[in-house]
Amino acid sequence: MIGNDIVDLQLAKTQSNWQRKGFLEKQFTAEEQKIILNSQNPFLQVWLFWSMKEAAYKCHVQEYQKRFFAPKKFSCKTISNSAGSVEIDSNFYFITYLISENYIHSIAVKNKKNVLVSELFFIKKIINKTKIVTQQMLTYFSDDVQLEKDQFGVPFLYQKQKKLPISVSTSHHGNYGGFVFLNI
């Protein structure tokens, strides 16, 4: 299982006011709120935790085939400046993340030993970003491989109507898109 999320930091600055009343309390655990408020850069910490939760959520939904909205059930921890973990109902997801001046990208896996492929790219001024992300990912496969989503919105790869043993996650936000996949 794999999940990923991208936050375009410039877009987050203009579209979301994380400091509005009730935002932190609805989205983050008491411990996460404490870390955010004591951070040298609370803005980045908010969006790092957000991205980690989204990536882990995608991984969790793939595994359990159930969608839900309960961000406070997700407990984030950072281990280093590029790794962390998210716990959801006693399930642990290992996170690798990259913080640049323009975006935050988080990848969640259930098993740290999995080998994955990931790619990020700039997609400014493109109308159908989902289609572009999918097309970029499919270049790694033969022409007859297609991406389809199930009733939970989980993407899967198919070849000749047969589901491939590959876990896939796509993401885009603002000017950035990306994908990750791994053999399962």
Side-chain angles (χ1 to χ4, degrees):
M1 304 297 122
I2 194 163
N4 88 118
D5 188 63
I6 297 171
V7 176
D8 180 326
L9 294 171
Q10 299 309 311
L11 189 58
K13 282 180 186 174
T14 62
Q15 286 190 340
S16 298
N17 178 8
W18 67 270
Q19 295 173 310
R20 73 180 178 269
K21 183 176 173 57
F23 180 83
L24 292 179
E25 293 81 7
K26 286 182 183 177
Q27 307 300 329
F28 302 102
T29 66
E31 182 63 25
E32 291 166 344
Q33 291 174 55
K34 183 178 168 185
I35 292 168
I36 289 166
L37 295 173
N38 291 321
S39 172
Q40 289 182 356
N41 190 332
F43 171 80
L44 278 182
Q45 193 65 56
V46 163
W47 296 112
L48 173 59
F49 282 165
W50 180 278
S51 179
M52 290 171 65
K53 287 179 186 232
E54 286 288 325
Y57 173 76
K58 289 177 180 181
C59 203
H60 194 76
V61 170
Q62 281 184 31
E63 186 171 8
Y64 293 100
Q65 297 292 298
K66 183 178 177 187
R67 293 178 79 89
F68 60 94
F69 181 77
K72 289 179 79 168
K73 288 179 88 174
F74 298 52
S75 178
C76 295
K77 294 201 181 347
T78 53
I79 298 166
S80 71
N81 62 357
S82 63
S85 66
V86 176
E87 181 181 3
I88 307 169
D89 296 332
S90 299
N91 291 285
F92 285 89
Y93 299 92
F94 302 98
I95 309 291
T96 55
Y97 60 85
L98 173 65
I99 301 174
S100 80
E101 65 182 71
N102 298 311
Y103 59 82
I104 296 173
H105 182 230
S106 294
I107 299 171
V109 293
K110 187 76 176 199
N111 183 343
K112 282 198 291 194
K113 296 177 184 173
N114 287 339
V115 177
L116 59 94
V117 174
S118 76
E119 187 174 320
L120 291 172
F121 41 89
F122 187 69
I123 53 175
K124 189 173 184 172
K125 296 184 180 179
I126 295 173
I127 294 177
N128 192 339
K129 294 176 183 181
T130 301
K131 183 177 180 180
I132 295 300
V133 171
T134 300
Q135 287 173 341
Q136 285 288 117
M137 184 187 60
L138 290 176
T139 63
Y140 283 81
F141 303 95
S142 65
D143 289 341
D144 61 343
V145 172
Q146 298 177 354
L147 182 127
E148 296 178 23
K149 292 185 178 184
D150 68 8
Q151 71 269 24
F152 302 105
V154 175
F156 293 98
L157 294 175
Y158 289 84
Q159 186 174 37
K160 298 178 183 172
Q161 286 95 29
K162 183 179 179 191
K163 187 174 165 183
L164 298 176
I166 298 171
S167 183
V168 176
S169 178
T170 61
S171 185
H172 60 79
H173 182 240
N175 290 325
Y176 301 94
F179 59 82
V180 292
F181 61 84
L182 59 87
N183 290 330
I184 49 177

